[in-house]
Amino acid sequence: MKHLPFLTKAVTVATLLLAGLAPAENTDMSAVIGMMPAQNASEAKTAFEAVVKGGKPAMLSHCGNVLAPGTGDDHKVRYLLGGLAFHVTRPGAAAEERQDLTAAMLETLQKVQDKQIKSFFMGLLRWCGGPECLAPLGACLTDPDLVEPTTQALLAIKAPGTAEVLLKALKDADGDRAMTLVKALGELRADNAIPMIARFATSTNTNTRRTALQALADIVPSDKNRRTGEGSPCEILKKACQSNDPLEKALVTALLLHHAQRLAESGATSQGAALCREVASLAMQQGPEYLAPAALDTLAGIAGKDAIPDLVKAMGSSNRMVSVAAMKTLISLKPPKADAQLEKLLTRGDVHLRLALLATLTDAERAAHFDAIASNLGNEDQDMRHATIQAMATSRGFPLLLEHLQSGNTNDLPEVKKAILLAAGPKDMKAVAAAMAKAPVSARLQILDILAQRRATSCFDAVAAAASDADPSIRLAAMKALGPIAMPEQLPKLTSLLLKVSDAAEQAAVMNSVILASKAIPEVEKRAESLLAVFPSASPEKKVAIIGTLSMLGGQKALDTLTVASQDADKTIRNAAMGALANWPDASAAGAMLDAAKRAPDLTQQVLLLRGYVRVVRAGSQPPDKKLGMYSAALAEAKRPDEKKLILGALVDIKNIDALLLLDKYLDDPEIRDEAAALAVLVGCANGDYKGLSDPAARPVLSRLAAIVKDENTRKKVEAQITGIK
C-alpha cells in the first residue's frame, strides 16, 4: 500500500500522455494538479505541456484555484503555476504560451480581492510578464500594501514606459510607498524623475532623505534633461554634504563618489574625475578623512593614468592614511618608469611610505628591487629595519641577514633570527655557526638558538666549543643547544663534558642533552652505556646526577646499577638510587623495588618504592596468580593503612577467589575494614557484565561481608550473590 501514491502518479502521467492526443477541452486538469510537486523534470514537463495545451482557459482555471492563506490547501496549485511561469519563458517556447499565462494571471489579478493572492501573482509575473503588464500593474501602485511587490515586478519586466508609470504614482505618494517608488526610479536611472525625487532629499525624516539621496546618486541627467546648478543630482548631493551629522556627511560623501562612477559610466568621464578630485579635497579639509583614499581610488578607476599627477601629489600629504593609499593606488596603475619610482620610494621615501610599500610588494617585486630594500637595513627607524629584515627572509638575503646579525644590534636580533630561520637552508648552518667567531655575546646567543632550532648536527663541534666559552651565558646556551644537535656517536664527548661542569644549571643542561642524544638510540639496552661507562669513576655528586637519569633511559644494566647503588654506603647515593628505582617505568624493576623497600631506612622512601611497585605490577603482563603473590609480598612490607589500601585496590583487576580470600584477611582490620569490604564486593559480586564469583569457597567470605557492609542495597547484592552459589 505504501507504493500506491507513486502508482497513482504513474497512471496520471500515462493519462496525460494519452490526453495529448485528445482535444484540449477533454484534458483532465485535476490530474495535472495531482502530479504536483513533480518528482522529476520529465514529469514536470508533461504536466506543464498539458496545461499549455489547454490554453488560456486551462490556465485561468488553475489561477482561480489559488486560495487566500488560511482558507484551504492550495500548495499543489502554487507549485504548478510557479513552474509554469518558468516553463513558458524557456528558450524556444512559443510566444503564445507566455501571453496566455500572463493574460490569465492579469485577469485573475483584477478579479481577486485578497492582497496576498495578488502579491503571489505579481511575484510570478516577475518571471513571465511582458509589456502587457505595465498598465494593469501600474494601477496597483496606489495601494500601500501592494506597492512593493508591484514595483519589484515592474523592475523585473522593465517594459518601455515603466519609469513614467512609477513617476506618475510618485506624484501623490508619501511615506513608505513613496520610498519604494523613489528607490525604483533610482534603479532605473530615470532622469525625468530628478525634480520629484529632489523634493524628498531635504526631508526631516532620515530614512526618506537618505533614500532620495541614494536614488539621485544613481541618476545622471541626459542631454535632454540636463540640469545645472542647485537642481542637479550632483549639486543636491554636495549641499547635503554640508550636514553637521558626521554619519550623514560620510554617507553622502560616499554617494558623491558613487555618482562620479555613474557619470563616468554615462560617458561624462571628465565630470566624474572632477567630482572625485572635489570629494578628495572636501574629505581632507572637512572630513571624513578616511573617504579621501576612496576618492583617489575612484579617480584612478575613472581617469586611469590621467590620475597619476593627483596621486603623486597626494603621496606628499601629511595625512599618512592618504599618502599610503595614494601610493598603493599609484602602484596599481603601473605608471611609466614605475620601477624607477619604486626604487626612489624604497630608498628616499618617507618611512611610513616605505613600510606600506614593503607590505604591498609581491615576492617578484621584492626580488627585482632587492638592493633598494636592503639599503634600509641601516635605517634609523626600528620599524623600517624590522620590515626590511622580514622582506629579506630569502636565500638571497641570507648573507646580509647574517652580517646584520653579527652587528649585534640588540633591538633587531629577534627579528633577524626569525628571518634567518626562514631563509637559511641546511647547508647554510655552518656559515651561521662560523658567524659566532666575530659576533658579540648577544648575537652569539641568537646563533646558538638558531642552530638548536634547526637541529644543525653538522655544527656539533662549534657548539661544543662554545660550551667551554668564558662567558657563562654562552656556555649555558651552548650546553642546552647540544641536546637537539648531538648524535648518539657524540655521547662520549657529552659525558666527558658532564664530568667537568660544576654549576648546577650547566650540569642540568648537559644532562638533558645527554638524555636527548641517548634516546635517539633505537636499542633500549644501549641508551645508558655512555653514562654507565663513567659512573664508577664519577664523584658522588656526579653519580647522583647520573642516577637520576637512568630510569628515563632504561635497560637491564642501568637497573642493575641502581640496585647496587641502592645499597651504597653513601646515604646521598643510596637515597637517589631508591628514588630512581621508584620511578622505573616497567615491572622489570619490581623485585629491586620491593627489596629496596624492605631496606628503606625511612618511611618516605618505603612509601615511594611501594607505590612505584604497585604501579609497575598493575601495568605489567604477569598472570593473575603471579600478580597476586607480588601484591601479598608488598602487603607484608606495608606499614601504613594508605599503602595497604593502595595495594588491595589493585585486586579489582584480578577478581578471582584468591583475590577475595586475600581481601578477607583485612575485613577484621579496623583501619581498612571499610575499604577492604568495598573492594570485596567488587571482586566477589556481579556488576554489569561481570557475574561475580560462584566458587563455594567464596560463600563464607561473602557471608562475613554481608554482616559488615552498612548499605542496605549493597547487603542485598551480597546476599543475592551468596544465593547463586551452589
Side-chain angles (χ1 to χ4, degrees), residues 293 296-297 300 311 315 320-335 342 345 352-361:
L296 293 170
D297 192 57
L311 296 170
M315 282 172 54
R320 292 190 174 189
M321 177 180 63
V322 174
S323 61
V324 168
M327 179 197 68
K328 291 181 178 180
T329 303
L330 180 63
I331 292 172
S332 69
L333 289 177
K334 300 188 181 303
L342 285 179
L345 274 173
H352 74 280
L353 288 176
R354 297 193 218 184
L355 286 170
L357 182 55
L358 281 178
T360 304
L361 294 178

Side-chain angles (χ1 to χ4, degrees), residues 159-174:
T162 298
E164 286 70 21
V165 170
L166 293 170
L167 186 57
K168 180 180 178 181
L170 181 60
K171 288 180 180 179
D172 61 350
D174 56 13

Side-chain angles (χ1 to χ4, degrees), residues 657 660 664 667 680-681 683-687 690-709 712-726:
I657 186 61
L660 183 65
D664 181 49
L667 291 178
V681 172
V683 171
C685 299
N687 185 29
Y690 177 56
K691 296 182 180 180
L693 299 177
S694 58
D695 192 313
R699 183 182 287 108
V701 180
L702 293 175
S703 297
R704 285 198 337 120
L705 187 60
I708 293 174
V709 295
E712 184 65 25
N713 291 331
T714 304
R715 182 181 298 109
K716 289 180 179 179
K717 185 176 184 179
V718 175
E719 290 172 348
Q721 191 69 32
I722 294 171
T723 303
I725 298 175
K726 298 179 180 179

Side-chain angles (χ1 to χ4, degrees), residues 31 147 207 381 458 623:
V147 67
N207 183 57
D381 186 272
S458 62

